[in-house]
Amino acid sequence: MELGLIVLVLISAATHPLRDLLLKDTAHPVSCYVGVALTWVILAALHARLVGQPLTVSREVWPLVLVSSLGLSFYYYGTLSALRRGNLSVYYPIIRSSPIAIVAFSWLALDQQYSWLILVGISLVLMGSLMIQKSPGGLLHDHKAFALAVMAMLGSAAYSLSDASAMQKTTPAPFLFYCYILVTSTLAGIRAWEDRHMSTPFLGVVRGWTLAPWRIVFAGIASYLSYLFILNAFQLGAEAAPVSAVRQASIPVSVVLAALVLKEPRFLHRIGWASLIALGILAITQS
């Protein structure tokens, strides 16, 4: 993977934790993520207008729009639901293990070959990510939480592969515009379904926005700008598996932010394991 592509992904990884930092401890998280997704729709429209692109995609791109939006919906809902039921440090490493699914699918279905250095690098990144967040508690203590975490991981793998393919056929703004119209609708529908026993189930969809509107808007802006770097890397020919692995650099960044802003403990332990992530990323850059 070329150094220029690595730099794009690392910039994205450095800014990605800002979204979760802004939304930490907000009430009604699914509602908040509906707000973030809607912010992306507006930003994509403004982005297209700014660069003079029409909000259209070709017929061959529409299946990729559908796969990405479905994968994103699985990822968002699976992540929020798994972490609501179980311990962050037990289930989050599963959610972030999408490079494994990407490599397996690409090898089995797409006949993609990876060098041993990339595979070693991905393994080191995933091991470091797991050890940073390791804590007591069995993975199967809550079967539903485990299933939701796996669903989120597979969703992440699906949208990563789909986005990488789409960026060879279209540009980010129109692609994200239609993806996030579908994601917004899906998450809003899920939130309303969860509140179906209430007299006004759609009230829950907007409840989170009214409690933290500016945090949602800023989280949407930060995450949109962050993901543009990933899509630019895909446009330049980066492969989904190494990109997903290098994006794990967001974990040590989040460790630093958690220690500085949220005063969370065990900083030295976690930053020590973060060096393993850095070593894995270095191996990927040499491939």
Side-chain angles (χ1 to χ4, degrees):
M1 191 169 174
E2 296 178 5
L3 181 59
L5 301 179
I6 292 286
V7 171
L8 287 174
V9 180
L10 287 177
I11 293 172
S12 173
T15 54
H16 182 265
L18 293 175
R19 181 194 66 191
D20 294 322
L21 187 66
L22 286 163
L23 295 180
K24 182 175 174 60
D25 297 327
T26 54
H28 314 289
V30 174
S31 175
C32 288
Y33 273 78
V34 174
V36 169
L38 182 59
T39 302
W40 276 50
V41 174
I42 297 169
L43 290 172
L46 293 174
H47 180 192
R49 180 69 179 271
L50 184 65
V51 298
Q53 293 175 348
L55 282 175
T56 57
V57 293
S58 63
R59 184 178 299 177
E60 65 177 340
V61 174
W62 272 107
L64 299 173
V65 169
L66 296 175
V67 170
S68 288
S69 60
L70 188 62
L72 285 162
S73 299
F74 281 171
Y75 169 72
Y76 282 131
Y77 184 73
T79 298
L80 292 170
S81 300
L83 300 185
R84 185 167 52 192
R85 293 179 61 93
N87 192 313
L88 171 71
S89 55
V90 173
Y91 294 107
Y92 195 61
I94 301 172
I95 295 167
R96 295 302 295 266
S97 297
S98 59
I100 296 175
I102 293 172
V103 168
F105 180 82
S106 299
W107 179 56
L108 292 172
L110 305 178
D111 200 28
Q112 175 70 50
Q113 302 296 317
Y114 295 98
S115 70
W116 69 268
L117 201 54
I118 283 185
L119 296 177
V120 168
I122 290 173
S123 299
L124 290 174
V125 167
L126 293 175
M127 184 182 299
S129 304
L130 174 64
M131 296 307 296
I132 281 177
Q133 299 159 104
K134 183 176 169 45
S135 74
L139 291 177
L140 298 180
H141 177 71
D142 184 333
H143 291 84
K144 187 171 182 180
F146 176 75
L148 287 164
V150 171
M151 181 180 79
M153 183 265 286
L154 294 175
S156 177
Y159 81 72
S160 296
L161 284 165
S162 181
D163 290 357
S165 178
M167 287 304 100
Q168 303 304 309
K169 302 177 176 69
T170 188
T171 52
F175 180 74
L176 292 176
F177 178 75
Y178 291 108
C179 278
Y180 274 83
I181 286 177
L182 296 175
V183 171
T184 303
S185 302
T186 302
L187 292 180
I190 290 172
R191 178 61 182 166
W193 173 257
E194 288 181 337
D195 290 342
R196 63 191 180 279
H197 58 281
M198 300 175 61
S199 58
T200 54
F202 275 97
L203 183 62
V205 175
V206 298
R207 190 176 291 128
W209 308 0
T210 60
L211 295 175
W214 291 111
R215 289 170 70 179
I216 289 172
V217 170
F218 286 128
I221 293 171
S223 56
Y224 184 86
L225 294 176
S226 173
Y227 200 60
L228 281 183
F229 288 104
I230 298 297
L231 296 183
N232 286 334
F234 285 149
Q235 281 186 304
L236 295 172
E239 296 177 4
V243 165
S244 295
V246 175
R247 286 188 77 193
Q248 306 284 21
S250 64
I251 294 177
V253 173
S254 67
V255 167
V256 173
L257 289 175
L260 295 178
V261 179
L262 305 176
K263 309 301 181 184
E264 291 187 359
R266 302 182 71 203
F267 171 71
L268 292 179
H269 165 83
R270 291 169 178 169
I271 207 66
W273 283 110
S275 63
L276 197 61
I277 295 177
L279 185 61
I281 292 172
L282 180 62
I284 293 171
T285 65
Q286 303 304 310
S287 61

